[in-house]
Amino acid sequence: MEVARHLLSTAMASHWLLLILFVAAAVDAVFPVVPSEGMVITAGMAAAAGHQNLPLVIAVAMAGSVIGESFCYFLGRGSGPALHRWMKRQERRQQLYDRVSGALHQRGGLILMTVRYIPGARMVATLTAGATRYSFKKFLVFTFFGVTIAYTYVAMLGYLGGDAFAHDQLKGLAFSLGLAAVIGLVIETSRRIANRRRAAKITGA
């Protein structure tokens, strides 16, 4: 346990933390298997401890995410039939693609700002935006606002957790990650309930 605390303290004080955070945020937008939220929370805790600057932490995470999502957009734009074949390999991906492609041109801003809260959906949405030739200027604006809200919230979780558990940073990290997981679970559960109610209304009609 003491080793873990020492490693966490070393990581939070490292000059490399912001660079690692930038890379993690960029890669996370393309490959969701590399979650960046944990890094943002750690950096937020480092800001609470005085090792990092909170606005800079948020800005670095935002920059990495916008670059990663823009890469995904242009990947979708140039992929053509290959993207459609990849989407059809999983029924869930295909359904999400069909739903997002229709919704993008009706309420694109809302989709691009909120889809990042659905596990694995952000990459599909950004690829779909590119594949359907959604305006890149609009994509960039809504993505910017989306990552601003998302990373400010995650960084603040780390900052508040680090401030509340200044005497034990490991407990602060566990608290922040746990709180982020609970909030994510609430959002996902609410979304599923809303979808079921909407489907029930359509079936009833």
Side-chain angles (χ1 to χ4, degrees), residues 1 50 73 76 79 123 179 201 204:
M1 191 66 75
Y73 171 92
S79 60
M123 181 185 66
L179 187 57
K201 286 181 180 179

Side-chain angles (χ1 to χ4, degrees), residues 99-111 134:
R99 194 181 308 128
V100 170
S101 59
L104 269 173
H105 298 277
Q106 296 176 14
R107 49 184 187 279
L110 182 63
I111 293 295
Y134 184 77

Side-chain angles (χ1 to χ4, degrees), residues 98-164:
D98 294 338
R99 194 181 308 128
V100 170
S101 59
L104 269 173
H105 298 277
Q106 296 176 14
R107 49 184 187 279
L110 182 63
I111 293 295
L112 292 171
M113 289 177 66
T114 59
V115 76
R116 65 195 66 255
Y117 300 105
I118 304 171
R122 177 174 56 162
M123 181 185 66
V124 175
T126 50
L127 285 170
T128 303
T132 57
R133 303 283 172 169
Y134 184 77
S135 167
F136 180 65
K137 288 183 179 179
K138 290 183 179 179
F139 172 85
L140 209 54
V141 169
F142 291 128
T143 297
F144 176 80
F145 281 111
V147 298
T148 300
I149 295 169
Y151 282 120
T152 299
Y153 136 72
V154 176
M156 286 304 299
L157 283 180
Y159 186 87
L160 294 173
D163 190 49

Side-chain angles (χ1 to χ4, degrees), residues 74-91:
F74 285 109
L75 190 64
R77 194 158 186 164
S79 60
L83 175 63
H84 296 157
R85 287 195 298 270
W86 180 75
M87 291 291 181
K88 288 179 180 178
R89 289 178 186 173
Q90 285 188 15
E91 185 179 352

